[in-house]
Amino acid sequence: MKKLIALLLTLMLILSGFTACGSKTDEETPDNNEVITDDTAEDGDEEADTDADADTEEGEEQNTEPADTEDKEDAGSEEEKPASSGSSGSSKPSSGSSGSSKPSSGSSGSSKPSSGSSGSSKPSSDKKDEIKAPSGTPAEIIDMIYEIKSVDLPLGTMDIDLSDAEGAAYNTGITSLDLVESAASSESMMGSQAYSLVVVKVKDKKNTEKIANEMLNGINQSKWVCVTADDLRVAATDDVVVLIMVGSNFKDSVTAKEITDAFKTLCGGLDISLKK
C-alpha cells in the first residue's frame, strides 16, 4: 500500500512537472502574428536609423543655424569694421576739407577787400536811392539851406529873370540860359558885401554837370567892383545846382563849404562838388 501511494505521488509529481513545462513552453512560444522576422527587424532598424538620421540632420540644422548666425554676425562685424574705419577714414578727408576750408576762409579773408569794395558800392547804391534834390522852387531851396546853416548877414532872396540874359549871366555866370528852368539868388541888402548864394534848376538833369561847370567858370567873383568873393564852390544834385561865393573876411560867420555841406545834408549827398 505504501508503495502504491508512493507511486501515485511520483506520477503526480511527474505530471505536474510536464504541466509546468507545457505552460512555460506556451508562454515562451511566440504568436504567429507576433513573430519577429529578420525583415521586420531590418525594417525596424532602417526606420530607427532613418529616425536617427532625421534627428541627426535636424540637430545638424539646429547646430548649423547658430553657426550661420555667428558667421553672419562675424561677417557683419567684419563689414562694420571696414565701414567704420572707412567712415573714419572719410571723416579725415572731411576734416581735411575743413582744413581746406582754411584757404576758403583765407579766401574770405581775401574777400575782405572785395567786401570792402562791395561795402563801398553799397553806400553808392544807397546814395543813388537816398540822394535826391529837394522839391520846390530855387527860392524855397535857399530857405531850406538857411534852415540848416544860418548866416548872420542882412540877406534878401529874389528870383532871377531868365529873360534878361545879361542880368542872369551877371548873377549866375550862365550864358546858355535855354538849359535852365528857373533860378534865384540871395545877397546882402546893405552895401557891397562879397556874398552871393545862387540856386539853379536845370530843365534836363543830363545837363547838370555842364551848367555847374559853366557857373564855376563864368561867375564874376568881383562883380561888386570894390570887394571880391575869394571863396567859391559849386555843388549839384540831380537837377539842382548851387553856387556860393563869399569873401574870406566872413569866415567866422559863414564859408562856402558850410553852405555846400548844408545843401548836401538837405539832399542826402552830392553828385557834383567843385571849387576854386
Side-chain angles (χ1 to χ4, degrees), residues 49-65:
D49 294 337
T50 303
D51 294 335
D53 293 337
D55 294 336
T56 303
E57 289 176 356
E58 290 177 357
E60 289 177 353
E61 289 177 356
Q62 292 176 356
N63 293 329
T64 55
E65 287 179 358

Side-chain angles (χ1 to χ4, degrees), residues 92-105:
K92 290 181 180 179
S94 65
S95 62
S97 63
S98 64
S100 63
S101 67
K102 291 182 180 179
S104 65
S105 63

